[in-house]
Amino acid sequence: TILHLHRSFEFSQKKGVLIPAAALGVGGMLVCWMMSRRKIKTLEMGDGWWGAGEKKLKEDERIRPFQIETSDKEIQDLHHRLEQARYAPPLEGAAFHYGFNSDYLQKVVAYWRNRFDWRKQVEMLNKYPHFQTTIEGIDIHFLHAKPPHISPGQTVYPLLMVHGWPGSFYEFYKIIPLLTEPAQHGLGELDVVFEVICPSIPGYGFSEAPHQKGFDTVATARIFHKLMKRLGFKEYYIQGGDWGAQITTHMAQMLPQSVKGLHLNMVFITPSGLGRYISVMIGAYAPWLVGLTREDARRMYPFLQKNVYYLLRESGYLHIQATKPDTAGCGLNDSPVGLAAYILEKFSTWTNSSFVQKDDGGLESKYSLDELLTNVMIYWVTSSIVSSMRFYKENFARNLTDLQRYGVHVPTGIAAFPEELAHTPRVWVKKYFTNLVSYTYMPRGGHFAAFEEPRLLAQDIRQFVRKVEHL
């Protein structure tokens, strides 16, 4: 009996130690699990080499001044090709329903050949300082515009702005002065002023094209982070639309500690899951039940017409470029007229879908021919149309929706323009962009926001940054 009591006492002592220890262990594991759940999952930065041949052991990291140039030979060759163009007559009453109307195209080409002054446009392009630097084996072009005057105590925020296809760094020429010297353009308060960095995506314009396969938006995001670091910026704001939106989103996923804020005028979110489809169906009849506003409903419905038929009509180019870009690119790289038709058709219907009804595509109601042809010329003189088209194949080879699992946790602002190719409502955006600071239903404008509505976009960027800085 005494021995039994002794053993019972020993067991109770062990139990008294083991139970708290076990509880502590389980509690610790639970805390670790909860902390791991809260930890932000970032996109792997990785590294790359896109130059010709083997990777060099040491890279030239100098920032080199760059100037856009032209020559008599370049202009004469262009004029000769424009004079030799052949046209297929359009169908009667076709407007832009079959693509770029060739009757109007002949007027554009006549202006291009006889009145467009490329030398004058080159001078205009060089009004901002341009540079090149070598990153991961290829030369990266960018312009860097700083405020001409800084008031005492004023903070200047670095802002990286990234274009898309078929645009270029030139898209930002009308918005840059509104951001670098807002007071001179009637934008009021001086508390938010920027120095603007506009790079060319590799393979676009004056940035060297990758020589290796696999160059996508993730690689571009890494290169642009390296660019900003090379320029001496530890923290900065980033902004983009089209491919620029995807690139800057990846930048926020990759190095959130460097991104003070992300501003987008286009959102890449692919509808997926049963809940999303149920939301779409209910939203057509009772939008408030699924978190949609009246404006969301107006922009989204009828859903099939605006999100299926319209996108199918406008995305034929995408399938070509995501599969066989080099084949289609051969003709575009050889013919300036074909190149202009291919690019400018997007500036018609992506600016406003109703422009398909107009014989001139509504192009000159929003832009001047000088502006449109300057963008085309950037592709022409650099022979970059093929490499720009390859960007689609490289990105669609990767599962873009797979990248959504990372989410975006930096302060984010969305400018939702009514004529954008597709509308993404705030309630959908918030599930992916978890720190949504602002979401603005813009009153007008389409896909090329900085080019078409620079003042509206500049105001929204400034308001977003002001909110972030006062959080």
Side-chain angles (χ1 to χ4, degrees), residues 24-321:
L24 186 63
V26 171
M29 291 173 64
L30 184 61
V31 169
C32 289
W33 178 78
M34 291 177 69
M35 291 297 289
S36 68
R37 293 275 292 178
R38 292 178 62 186
K39 186 179 179 182
I40 294 174
K41 188 176 183 180
T42 57
L43 184 61
E44 185 69 32
M45 188 164 183
D47 203 1
W49 172 259
W50 310 103
E54 297 295 321
K55 183 176 182 179
K56 295 180 181 178
L57 295 176
K58 187 169 178 59
E59 194 163 70
D60 182 0
E61 296 187 357
R62 291 176 300 165
I63 305 291
R64 307 181 298 274
F66 176 81
Q67 192 166 29
I68 300 168
E69 298 177 342
T70 189
S71 65
D72 290 340
K73 182 179 179 181
E74 183 177 72
I75 295 172
Q76 288 168 3
D77 176 69
L78 170 68
H79 287 174
H80 174 71
R81 291 170 185 264
L82 293 177
E83 291 164 357
Q84 299 300 312
R86 299 189 304 171
Y87 302 90
L91 296 173
E92 294 182 9
F96 264 55
H97 286 284
Y98 286 71
F100 207 107
N101 186 289
S102 61
D103 283 346
Y104 179 63
L105 180 60
Q106 291 182 65
K107 296 178 182 178
V108 172
V109 171
Y111 181 91
W112 197 0
R113 170 62 182 86
N114 302 311
R115 297 175 59 188
F116 178 76
D117 189 341
W118 176 231
R119 291 188 184 280
K120 180 181 176 181
Q121 297 306 103
V122 166
E123 186 178 337
M124 178 273 299
L125 290 173
N126 284 323
K127 73 177 180 179
Y128 294 117
H130 291 255
F131 304 90
Q132 279 188 340
T133 187
T134 306
I135 303 177
E136 298 188 7
I138 52 178
D139 291 337
I140 305 301
H141 159 262
F142 64 98
L143 68 83
H144 191 172
K146 299 181 180 181
H149 307 288
I150 302 174
S151 303
Q154 190 175 58
T155 303
V156 178
Y157 301 102
L159 173 65
L160 179 83
M161 303 189 78
V162 186
H163 66 88
W165 186 92
S168 65
F169 66 91
Y170 175 60
E171 285 182 67
F172 302 114
Y173 267 56
K174 289 188 281 189
I175 199 174
I176 288 174
L178 306 181
L179 297 169
T180 57
E181 42 184 344
Q184 282 68 34
H185 295 85
L187 290 185
E189 298 177 57
L190 295 170
D191 58 330
V192 177
V193 179
F194 300 94
E195 57 179 298
V196 180
I197 301 92
C198 296
S200 295
I201 297 171
Y204 289 67
F206 299 100
S207 278
E208 186 179 355
H211 296 266
Q212 313 294 332
K213 294 186 294 183
F215 186 86
D216 59 11
T217 51
V218 174
T220 312
R222 180 179 64 246
I223 282 178
F224 287 171
H225 268 309
K226 290 182 178 181
L227 171 64
M228 295 302 278
K229 182 180 179 181
R230 193 169 293 183
L231 291 172
F233 299 115
K234 294 182 179 179
E235 292 184 318
Y236 35 88
Y237 286 92
I238 52 181
Q239 200 283 331
D242 196 84
W243 281 127
Q246 186 78 343
I247 292 164
T248 52
T249 296
H250 290 336
M251 292 178 73
Q253 294 171 318
M254 190 177 285
L255 286 178
Q257 67 272 23
S258 295
V259 178
K260 295 190 74 176
L262 166 69
H263 186 279
L264 305 173
N265 56 276
M266 184 178 184
V267 182
F268 279 86
I269 296 180
T270 306
S272 59
L274 181 61
R276 181 64 55 83
Y277 290 109
I278 292 173
S279 173
V280 167
M281 289 188 289
I282 294 174
Y285 305 99
W288 62 89
L289 287 179
V290 289
L292 300 181
T293 66
R294 286 185 178 181
E295 185 61 21
D296 289 329
R298 189 184 72 81
R299 296 186 183 191
M300 289 175 61
Y301 299 99
F303 193 82
L304 286 177
Q305 180 181 324
K306 292 188 175 183
N307 296 273
V308 179
Y309 302 147
Y310 173 61
L311 288 180
L312 283 174
R313 188 190 81 186
E314 293 299 326
S315 60
Y317 81 98
L318 186 150
H319 189 74
I320 293 172
Q321 294 177 191

Side-chain angles (χ1 to χ4, degrees), residues 354-373:
S354 69
F355 285 174
V356 73
Q357 310 285 353
K358 298 178 178 290
D359 290 338
D360 64 355
L363 283 168
E364 292 179 75
S365 64
K366 292 289 186 176
Y367 316 101
S368 71
L369 285 181
D370 281 342
E371 291 171 344
L372 294 169
L373 290 171

